[in-house]
């Protein structure tokens, strides 16, 4: 009996649910906000006339177009020799240099435009992508032949700062194994006369290799990539560099393990060295050394002239220490010789005031069964802190709010009154903040508000009327219980726009297991969350939750499956779907599929193998199927250090998918990019090898010359949709559906 064919119209309707289509139907947005030094906010908005850039004054409330869009488009067309349209300028944000000049970047080229005369010139002598600019904006550092060099931006003159860098033992090297960059990893002093960085020791670290697909000789990429259990991992030998004298001052301490208190690299997104806080006079700085197992963080203070180091205190967790949820949330108060310290010692993330001389806690600043997410600002003169938090106001435990409090713990003040999710952008002087307020099913209102008076005004109001007129619908938030019926588990459910409660729908479970983020990633309003609604349009109920083991709540919630990555919150996914099926007759819990990418690629295969009678189909993309094949900083943080037993087994066997392939009953599609340098493709190939050895049927798609980010490439998306339609719905998908450009 032939399977019923699914109409191509279903695929067309599904495609219309992708953000490239839905975003166009919304106006009153506020994107790419940037605060200037004088409390003005610049941003981009989608208006009825097209994309527009605005500038608004937080004090006077005056809002204007940032420039004449048509005149700027004409000026840019003349300068770039391209046809640039006023309604679609080819940049997302700009820097306001002064009232007359703006700086914009188009691809890799920087332009300065006079917005009185409307002329634009390409700027030649500016910092390149491989340079990190000093606070004074006059010079930058870059790496050449394993050494640091100084570039003067005004005339592009060069000065060598170090001379003893060598291969695999160079200065400021930006390599964590799973991610690499050309920009140096340093932290400039406030006066731009010094910087602190390290010599990156990878001399005895093992290598990873990737081979491209080509006619003729392939590209072979080999680089240092430490793995869990390796005897040698990256070490950082900390130094201070006096830029004026080109003098290197080693810190008087042993080399640190390549670890930070918040992420799987010692560099932030902007390339700056993490866990460093300079004094205002640039004479010294506080920093944190973290142990290889991520359990112990030690705060120290270094003299920038002598390199002498003084240890202040250490904190050790039984699982892993983190200094914040959304970002690093400790700060050195040099004026009062104190530290604001983030700790989860009470099972909740809170701020503590520490004496920087004795290392003793002076007082707990925040407290209660809720968590501080990120410390945004400390006014050392008034002792006022501004931070984001979650879980205190009731309702959705993942809604973010903004608060202020004094460092002695007095006068805790809620600055964001609505019981919704708040996306915060604080002004540079911390007197105002942009507050974008929404929920997953309620459109966004953008305010500018005061951090002291609670007053505010509306900047933009999102209008989704055109979107709603197409039949679009928001996902439905829901709350269920975890596997043990102890914690509330929050999720989103997506239904087809032609939903019929008399029908029975198969389920597609999207997941990202954490532990560093969950599946949902932000509770603000979006017109599309990946292709969740698109898959629902094909005739599925799509379900995603943030399970046990994901961050943003208590420490015990987050570390739930520490040393047992094989868990990955999967029992909570199963429990959630069963509870929803018990509530809704139209959910068919006998037809459940699952998919994910990266950590979700691992977890979706894991789910199919550990719950073979519940999940029947999985699409697993770019999965780290055995963390012994993935980055040391990830595996050793969340699964612990590798322990080898006398019988040849290890503590990592409990998370290795290739060891349980005999459990496979359902349909499995493995996918991986052949040049993925984040999660190397061998992670998937070891599973494929084991499946072949076990004589198990499976499907595999190796995408030639693809890196890690292929999840929503049209071909992969189409293959994912087809796989669920064919094997979960039991229908025949339209052949070789083509997405519109």
């Amino acid at each position: 009996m032939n399977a019923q064919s699914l109409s191509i119209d279903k695929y067309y309707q599904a495609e219309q649910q992708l953000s490239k289509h839905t975003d166009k139907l919304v106006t009153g947005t506020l994107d790419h906000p940037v605060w200037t030094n004088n409390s003005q906010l610049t941003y981009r908005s989608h208006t009825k006339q097209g994309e527009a850039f605005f500038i608004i004054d937080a004090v006077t409330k005056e809002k204007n177009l940032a420039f004449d869009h048509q005149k700027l488009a004409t000026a840019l067309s003349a300068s770039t020799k391209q046809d640039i349209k006023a309604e679609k300028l080819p940049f997302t944000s700009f820097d306001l240099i002064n009232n007359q000049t703006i700086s914009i970047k188009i691809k890799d080229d920087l332009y300065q435009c006079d917005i009185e005369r409307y002329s634009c010139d390409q700027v030649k002598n500016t910092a390149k992508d491989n340079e990190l600019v000093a606070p004074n904006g006059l010079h930058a550092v870059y790496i050449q032949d394993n050494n640091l060099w100084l570039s003067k931006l005004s005339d592009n003159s060069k000065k060598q700062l170090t001379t003893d860098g060598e291969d695999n033992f160079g200065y400021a090297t930006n390599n964590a194994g799973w991610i690499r960059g050309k920009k140096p990893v340093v932290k400039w002093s406030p006066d731009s006369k010094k910087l602190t960085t390290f010599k990156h020791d990878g001399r005895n670290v093992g290598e990873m290799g990737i081979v491209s697909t080509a006619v003729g000789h392939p590209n072979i990429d080999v680089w240092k990539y430490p793995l869990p259990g390796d005897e040698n991992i990256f070490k950082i030998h900390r130094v201070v560099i006096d830029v004026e004298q080109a003098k290197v001052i080693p810190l008087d301490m042993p080399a640190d393990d390549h670890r930070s208190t918040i992420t799987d690299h010692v560099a932030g997104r902007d390339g700056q060295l993490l866990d460093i806080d300079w004094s205002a006079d640039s004479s010294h700085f506080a920093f944190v050394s973290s142990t290889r197992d991520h359990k112990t963080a030690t705060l120290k203070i270094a003299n920038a002239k002598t390199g002498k180091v003084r240890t202040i205190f250490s904190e050790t967790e039984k699982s892993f220490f983190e200094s914040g949820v959304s970002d690093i949330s400790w700060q050195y108060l040099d004026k009062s010789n104190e530290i604001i310290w983030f700790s989860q010692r009470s099972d909740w993330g809170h701020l503590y005031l520490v004496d920087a001389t004795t290392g003793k806690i002076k007082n707990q600043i925040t407290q209660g069964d809720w968590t501080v997410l990120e410390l945004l600002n400390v006014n050392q003169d008034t002792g006022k802190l501004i931070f984001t938090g979650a879980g205190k106001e009731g309702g959705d435990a993942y809604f973010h709010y903004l608060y202020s409090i004094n460092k002695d713990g007095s006068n805790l003040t809620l600055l964001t009154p609505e019981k919704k999710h708040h996306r915060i952008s604080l002004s540079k002087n911390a007197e105002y903040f942009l507050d974008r307020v929404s929920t997953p099913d309620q459109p966004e209102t953008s305010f500018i508000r005061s951090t002291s008076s609670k007053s505010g005004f509306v900047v933009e109001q999102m209008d989704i009327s055109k979107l709603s007129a197409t039949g679009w619908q928001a996902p439905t938030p829901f709350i269920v219980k975890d596997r043990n019926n102890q914690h509330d588990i929050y999720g989103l459910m997506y239904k087809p726009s032609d939903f019929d409660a008399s029908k029975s729908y198969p389920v597609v479970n999207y997941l990202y297991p954490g532990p560093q983020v969950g599946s949902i990633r932000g509770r603000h309003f979006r017109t599309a969350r990946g292709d969740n609604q698109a898959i629902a349009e094909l005739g599925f109920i799509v379900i995603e939750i943030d399970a046990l083991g994901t961050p943003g709540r208590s420490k015990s919630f987050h570390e739930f499956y520490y040393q047992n990555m094989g868990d990955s919150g999967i029992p909570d996914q199963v429990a959630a779907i069963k509870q929803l099926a018990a509530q809704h007759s139209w959910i068919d819990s006998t037809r459940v599929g699952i998919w994910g990418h990266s950590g979700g690629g691992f977890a979706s295969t894991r789910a199919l193998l550990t719950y073979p009678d519940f999940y029947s189909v999985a699409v697993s993309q770019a999965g780290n199927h055995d963390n012994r094949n993935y980055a040391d900083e990830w595996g050793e943080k969340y699964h612990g250090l590798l322990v080898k037993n006398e019988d040849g087994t290890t503590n990592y066997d409990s998370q290795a998918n290739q060891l349980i392939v005999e459990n496979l009953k359902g349909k499995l599609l493995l996918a991986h990019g052949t040049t993925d340098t984040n999660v190397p493709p061998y992670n998937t190939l070891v599973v494929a090898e084991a499946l072949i050895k076990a004589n198990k049927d499976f499907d595999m798609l190796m995408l030639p010359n693809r890196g890690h980010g292929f999840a929503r490439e049209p071909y992969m998306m189409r293959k994912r949709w087809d796989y669920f339609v064919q094997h979960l719905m039991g229908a025949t998908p339209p052949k070789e559906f083509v997405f519109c450009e």
Side-chain angles (χ1 to χ4, degrees):
M1 185 175 179
N2 292 329
Q4 180 181 357
S5 295
L6 191 68
S7 167
I8 195 171
D9 291 339
K10 282 284 190 183
Y11 270 58
Y12 284 130
Q13 175 60 21
E15 185 186 8
Q16 292 304 308
Q17 307 306 312
L18 300 175
S19 61
K20 67 178 181 179
H21 300 293
T22 55
D23 284 352
K24 297 175 183 177
L25 302 176
V26 175
T27 59
T29 59
L30 197 159
D31 301 313
H32 306 288
V34 177
W35 284 99
T36 68
N37 289 324
N38 55 353
S39 296
Q40 291 181 316
L41 181 76
T42 66
Y43 65 93
R44 188 185 73 175
S45 180
H46 184 63
T47 73
K48 293 179 181 178
Q49 290 75 40
E51 300 291 341
F53 293 85
F54 292 96
I55 185 167
I56 187 166
D57 192 297
V59 180
T60 66
K61 304 180 184 179
E62 183 180 356
K63 172 184 168 183
N64 294 295
L65 284 173
F67 40 76
D68 185 308
H69 288 58
Q70 183 57 60
K71 289 182 178 179
L72 183 64
T74 301
L76 283 171
S77 295
S79 183
T80 63
K81 312 302 182 187
Q82 300 174 23
D83 183 19
I84 292 176
K85 304 296 184 184
E87 64 274 11
K88 193 63 178 176
L89 293 167
F91 53 91
T92 56
S93 62
F94 64 94
D95 290 322
L96 188 67
I97 297 175
N98 53 49
N99 290 333
Q100 183 179 337
T101 309
I102 62 171
S103 174
I104 59 176
K105 195 170 187 181
I106 301 176
K107 293 185 178 179
D108 294 327
D109 298 323
L110 192 70
Y111 295 85
Q112 282 193 2
C113 298
D114 185 317
I115 53 175
E116 286 191 354
R117 298 185 179 88
Y118 281 95
S119 61
C120 295
D121 295 304
Q122 186 173 352
V123 183
K124 299 294 184 183
N125 296 324
T126 58
K128 303 176 180 64
D129 287 340
N130 66 336
E131 297 179 338
L132 198 59
V133 182
N136 63 13
L138 300 179
H139 45 256
V141 286
Y142 65 97
I143 299 171
Q144 181 176 310
D145 297 328
N146 302 303
N147 283 296
L148 271 180
W149 289 66
L150 187 74
S151 171
K152 189 176 180 181
L153 298 182
S154 60
D155 60 10
N156 209 30
S157 59
K158 311 295 184 184
K159 175 183 177 182
Q160 188 167 357
L161 297 178
T162 70
T163 58
D164 61 333
E166 59 185 84
D167 286 347
N168 302 315
F169 195 34
Y171 284 92
T173 307
N174 196 336
N175 182 13
W178 68 277
I179 187 171
R180 294 171 286 167
K182 294 182 179 180
K183 185 174 288 189
V185 183
V186 310
K187 185 64 178 285
W188 280 99
S189 63
D191 65 5
S192 300
K193 295 180 180 180
K194 303 182 189 72
L195 58 85
T196 183
T197 184
F198 50 77
K199 287 188 77 176
H200 187 273
D201 192 353
R203 288 172 292 183
N204 297 310
V205 171
E207 295 179 333
M208 185 62 67
I210 294 291
V211 180
S212 70
T213 299
V215 175
H217 298 288
N219 234 5
I220 303 176
D221 185 11
V222 178
W223 74 104
K224 297 289 186 173
Y225 190 123
L227 298 172
D230 282 357
E231 180 181 352
N232 297 295
I233 64 168
F234 291 138
K235 293 277 191 175
I236 54 175
H237 299 250
R238 297 182 184 271
V239 301
V240 174
I241 298 177
D242 185 315
V243 173
E244 293 180 336
Q245 300 180 47
K247 180 182 179 182
V248 178
I249 304 142
L251 294 199
D252 185 17
M253 59 178 285
D256 268 335
D257 293 318
H258 188 279
R259 299 288 185 263
S260 76
T261 64
I262 196 70
T263 184
D264 305 316
H265 196 2
V266 296
R269 293 187 186 93
D270 58 0
Q272 294 200 61
L273 180 58
L274 296 173
D275 286 312
I276 304 287
D277 200 3
W278 279 91
S279 63
D281 66 2
S282 301
S283 67
H284 60 287
F285 58 90
F287 67 101
V288 176
S289 296
S290 295
T291 53
R292 175 172 178 169
D293 61 9
H294 297 267
K295 292 182 179 182
T296 299
T298 301
L299 190 130
K300 306 173 183 179
I301 292 180
N303 185 306
K305 293 181 180 179
T306 67
K308 293 296 183 183
V309 175
R310 181 167 60 92
T311 296
I312 308 303
F313 67 89
S314 294
E315 179 167 345
T316 300
E317 282 278 2
K318 292 181 179 179
S319 54
F320 48 86
F321 175 85
E322 291 182 313
S323 67
V325 177
S326 300
D327 208 341
I328 289 173
S329 294
W330 70 266
Q331 188 169 328
Y332 174 45
L333 310 184
D334 59 324
K335 288 185 177 181
S336 57
N337 198 32
E338 295 169 320
I339 305 289
I340 305 294
W341 187 249
F342 176 94
S343 172
Q344 294 175 301
R345 63 188 64 194
S346 70
D347 195 37
W348 296 93
H350 284 297
L351 301 174
Y352 297 78
L353 186 65
V354 178
D355 187 309
T357 299
T358 66
K360 302 297 184 183
I361 294 175
K362 299 176 76 170
N363 61 267
Q364 185 171 346
I365 302 171
T366 61
Q367 53 191 306
D369 291 350
W370 55 280
T371 188
V372 170
L373 296 171
E374 182 180 358
L375 178 63
L376 298 178
N377 182 266
V378 181
N379 186 319
Q380 292 201 54
D381 295 325
T382 65
K384 179 180 175 180
L385 283 61
I386 297 174
F387 64 92
T388 53
K392 186 178 184 300
E393 307 307 319
D396 193 312
Y398 294 92
F399 284 174
H400 292 186
Y401 296 87
L402 189 69
Y403 300 88
S404 64
I405 195 171
N406 295 326
K407 69 179 183 180
D408 65 2
S410 65
N411 198 27
L412 176 64
T413 304
L414 174 66
L415 301 173
T416 46
E418 300 87 354
K419 287 199 172 183
K420 296 182 178 182
H421 183 69
H422 298 264
R423 293 198 289 163
I424 305 298
S425 176
L426 193 63
S427 68
K428 293 183 178 180
N429 61 11
E431 292 182 4
Y432 300 94
F433 63 98
L434 169 67
D435 185 7
R436 290 179 284 179
V437 187
S438 67
T439 68
D441 56 351
Q442 297 178 58
E444 197 164 70
T445 303
S446 299
F447 298 86
I448 285 180
R449 287 175 158 151
S450 167
T451 57
S452 56
S453 68
K454 293 188 179 182
S455 62
F457 60 95
V458 175
V459 180
E460 295 286 351
Q461 176 63 64
M462 191 179 283
D463 183 348
I464 64 168
S465 54
K466 283 188 177 180
L467 179 64
S468 298
T470 67
W472 175 92
Q473 59 183 23
T476 302
F478 64 83
I479 304 174
V480 292
K481 288 294 184 181
D482 70 356
R483 69 192 78 177
N484 299 318
N485 201 34
Q486 292 180 346
H487 297 277
D488 284 342
I489 297 294
Y490 294 78
L492 295 175
M493 180 193 302
Y494 305 77
K495 297 186 289 188
S497 57
D498 61 356
F499 173 75
D500 183 346
S502 67
K503 292 183 177 179
S504 180
Y505 293 90
V507 175
V508 172
N509 182 192
Y510 168 74
L511 89 163
Y512 189 90
Q516 85 285 16
V517 293
S519 301
I520 297 175
R521 305 194 189 193
R523 264 57 182 183
H524 59 284
F525 181 87
R526 299 183 202 170
T527 66
R529 291 175 177 268
D531 60 345
N532 286 340
Q533 185 59 43
I535 291 176
E537 286 300 314
L538 299 175
F540 299 99
I541 301 298
V542 177
I543 292 169
E544 59 177 351
I545 65 167
D546 282 342
L548 285 167
T550 56
R553 297 172 69 173
S554 67
K555 175 66 170 173
S556 56
F557 190 100
H558 186 198
E559 68 183 11
F560 182 81
Y561 59 75
Y562 173 67
Q563 293 185 322
N564 183 25
M565 290 280 283
D567 179 291
S568 282
I570 296 166
D572 302 313
Q573 306 283 345
V574 174
I577 294 168
K578 287 182 176 179
Q579 290 171 66
L580 292 169
Q583 298 169 18
H584 306 295
S585 60
W586 33 266
I587 291 180
D588 184 354
S589 61
T590 67
R591 293 185 293 164
V592 182
I594 188 168
W595 85 273
H597 190 91
S598 194
F602 159 77
S604 50
T605 292
R606 192 78 186 178
L608 196 65
L609 298 178
T610 53
Y611 287 88
D613 296 322
F614 184 78
Y615 291 106
S616 54
V617 182
V619 177
S620 300
Q621 303 170 187
N624 50 319
H625 294 279
D626 186 338
N627 283 289
R628 288 171 291 194
N629 269 347
Y630 187 50
D632 66 316
E633 298 202 43
W634 167 270
E636 293 185 347
K637 179 176 182 178
Y638 296 119
H639 197 80
L641 299 179
L642 181 69
V643 178
K644 296 180 180 179
N645 304 316
E646 290 184 3
D647 62 359
T649 62
T650 79
N651 60 321
Y652 271 63
D653 293 354
S654 63
Q655 55 81 60
N657 280 344
Q658 74 272 16
L659 298 183
I660 56 171
V661 294
E662 69 277 0
N663 294 345
L664 180 64
K665 290 183 179 180
K667 298 294 295 185
L668 172 62
L669 172 60
L670 297 170
H672 218 115
T674 64
T675 52
D676 187 340
T677 57
N678 181 336
V679 180
Y682 321 115
N683 281 269
T684 286
L685 292 175
V686 295
V687 176
E689 182 181 37
L691 287 164
I692 292 167
K693 186 175 181 180
N695 196 33
K696 292 290 186 177
D697 289 328
F698 69 101
D699 297 297
M700 185 167 70
L701 175 62
M702 300 301 288
L703 293 108
N705 302 322
R706 300 301 203 287
H708 194 59
F710 63 85
R712 292 180 175 88
E713 274 191 23
Y715 188 81
M716 185 69 245
M717 193 154 49
R718 195 261 293 177
K719 294 295 286 185
R720 183 165 64 243
W721 295 5
D722 288 354
Y723 210 74
F724 286 128
V725 167
Q726 181 178 356
H727 298 296
L728 193 60
M729 184 182 290
T732 301
K735 183 173 175 57
E736 297 176 351
F737 176 78
V738 178
F739 290 89
C740 67
E741 293 296 327

